[in-house]
Amino acid sequence: MSKHDTLQVDAERLANAWAHTLPTVLSESDRTEVKKDEAEPNVLRIHIATAGHSHYSFDYKCTYVDAREVKVELVDVERDGVSVDERTDIIQTMVDDYVRHIHECAQQLHSLTASK
């Protein structure tokens, strides 16, 4: 297979698979929402709300570069519905941790996204 394998999965089906799988790689108390991007079929919008009293929520753009690789970008971090500075050490640690989990979820879905 070439390294330019394109993603050939219906965006809605992919978003549903992510919505089912992502919670299994995160803390049980974290809440997630995964939606397909209306403009770009190879992009998912991921919202993660943390548990506990911190009330942080993280929004990510997850782009399928090809059938196997995803690029994850932080879009926004909020606390109690207000955007916060994501450059603090505590938030950066959480951001990096969630990015790792998003990549882990993508790996678990390789059987769905890998072209046949």
Side-chain angles (χ1 to χ4, degrees), residues 1 19 24 26 31 33 35 50 84 93 99 107 109 112 115:
M1 290 197 207
T24 68
L26 295 175
R31 298 286 162 245
E33 186 178 358
K35 295 180 179 173
T50 62
V84 296
T93 299
V99 167
Q107 286 180 331
L109 292 171
L112 175 67
S115 30

Side-chain angles (χ1 to χ4, degrees), residues 1-10 14 41-42 64-69 110 112-116:
M1 290 197 207
S2 75
K3 102 178 207 193
H4 299 290
D5 291 340
T6 55
L7 186 64
Q8 303 199 4
V9 177
D10 173 69
L14 185 62
N42 64 323
Y64 271 87
V65 178
D66 59 31
R68 287 181 201 83
E69 183 185 349
H110 274 180
L112 175 67
T113 60
S115 30
K116 300 183 171 43

Side-chain angles (χ1 to χ4, degrees), residues 51-65:
H53 3 241
S54 65
H55 298 287
Y56 283 113
S57 65
F58 299 82
D59 291 308
Y60 293 93
K61 177 181 179 183
C62 179
T63 305
Y64 271 87
V65 178

Side-chain angles (χ1 to χ4, degrees), residues 100-111:
R100 268 194 309 281
H101 290 307
I102 291 168
H103 280 285
E104 188 180 333
C105 183
Q107 286 180 331
Q108 288 191 20
L109 292 171
H110 274 180
S111 61

Side-chain angles (χ1 to χ4, degrees), residues 88-105:
T88 66
D89 288 345
I90 291 171
I91 293 178
Q92 274 303 302
T93 299
M94 294 171 78
V95 165
D96 293 345
D97 196 40
Y98 285 129
V99 167
R100 268 194 309 281
H101 290 307
I102 291 168
H103 280 285
E104 188 180 333
C105 183

Side-chain angles (χ1 to χ4, degrees), residues 35-84:
K35 295 180 179 173
K36 67 180 184 172
D37 186 284
E38 296 300 327
E40 301 174 84
N42 64 323
V43 172
L44 295 170
R45 297 293 176 165
I46 299 172
H47 178 81
I48 301 172
T50 62
H53 3 241
S54 65
H55 298 287
Y56 283 113
S57 65
F58 299 82
D59 291 308
Y60 293 93
K61 177 181 179 183
C62 179
T63 305
Y64 271 87
V65 178
D66 59 31
R68 287 181 201 83
E69 183 185 349
V70 292
K71 178 176 141 196
V72 181
E73 299 168 77
L74 179 67
V75 176
D76 190 31
V77 179
E78 293 183 352
R79 182 174 191 173
D80 291 323
V82 178
S83 288
V84 296

